[in-house]
Amino acid sequence: MTRVPLVTVAAGCGGTGRELARFGDLSTLDAFLLGPIGLPGGAQPRASITASPSGLVHRPAPVLPVDQVVDDLLPWFRARGLPVVCAVRGSTTGVVTDTLQRLRRSLDFSTVVGVEIDLAAQREGTRPALGGLLGSGPVGPWSADPQACLKLLSVAREQLPRDLLLQAKLGGECPDPVAAARAAVGGGARALVLSGAVPASGPGQHLVGPAIGPVTVGLVTALRAAIAAGRVPEVPLVAVGGVHDGPSSLAARRAGADGVQVGCGILTDPETLWRVHETLTGADPVAQAPHPPAREGFSDPAREGFSDPDHQGADDGH
């Protein structure tokens, strides 16, 4: 069974890694989640966080250009022996393919232990235009179309070594999480990242923060039930959204999450990441385990079971 990191930062919340390294030892974590990574160019959203009575309204960060990641960031992580999960965002299968191919060509790709594909990202496609012609433009998130999820994950799987962790991220923007999850796993995802972020006041904006913790737990519970019923193949689940301290991380684990990601909680206190990791690694594994048969062997804090970087290129997925 695939293993996932027990605790990582959420995509877009950890910067390049250098910023967080001032607050704690990155080597004590299972991996660092770097991203979102994509191709430069085009209109990039400007990241923003606005307070509201219900929590924080968040606009996702722009992508880190893949060339910057290859030329500067991956060498930095590899030189320090730090494993990385690359979060990739793209609006077309071509963009995702190109991004992954550039990552694979990096001389420092051996430090990459996993890839996360963002199904909450906006997808571009063809649609009717004036005069009966077809135009291209945003058609909604990837997760709104299970067939699109299946195709995107299949394309991503083809670009990566077969033993490399490939996880798909979906959340509150998804109209049918079970269908999207089933399609993503069918396309080659070996783990699912479940975000409780709720679509908010404008395009690309989401409600985040401690208030959405119950939404995340509900999503994890629903997917765990779908797995138990045979509607989704057995894969690890990772919870993100509302995980901001020890109790909230334990709640996610009890609901069925095999790992957690810490997001905006580290914006006010970066050391939250290490406290959550300490809580989960020190907690009673029996008390945490919501599904003992599937739980066995997952999320080893010593990184046992992650892809061996020295062998990642040996078994190519082409």
Side-chain angles (χ1 to χ4, degrees), residues 4 8 32 38 42 72 84 109 111 117 129-130 134 140 145 159 161 174 181 190 206 217-219 234 254 262 318:
V4 294
T8 66
F32 182 85
D72 179 30
V84 175
F109 188 74
T111 201
I117 302 296
L130 293 176
L134 291 178
D145 185 343
Q159 305 304 320
C174 182
R190 292 299 172 260
H206 291 81
V217 168
L219 187 57
E234 178 78 45
R254 286 192 294 268
V262 183
H318 290 277

Side-chain angles (χ1 to χ4, degrees), residues 196-238:
V198 178
S201 54
Q205 296 184 345
H206 291 81
L207 182 69
V208 298
I212 68 166
V215 181
T216 300
V217 168
L219 187 57
V220 171
T221 301
L223 263 294
R224 187 54 65 191
I227 289 173
R231 299 173 62 197
V232 177
E234 178 78 45
V235 294
L237 305 180
V238 179

Side-chain angles (χ1 to χ4, degrees), residues 150-172:
L150 176 67
K151 181 178 180 180
L152 180 63
L153 268 297
S154 297
V155 167
R157 183 75 275 172
E158 291 175 357
Q159 305 304 320
L160 300 170
R162 293 175 185 172
D163 61 348
L164 192 75
L165 172 66
L166 176 62
Q167 54 192 36
K169 181 178 181 179
L170 56 93

Side-chain angles (χ1 to χ4, degrees), residues 8-25:
T8 66
V9 66
C13 295
T16 65
R18 294 184 175 115
E19 300 88 346
L20 272 181
R22 295 181 298 159
F23 297 94
D25 184 359

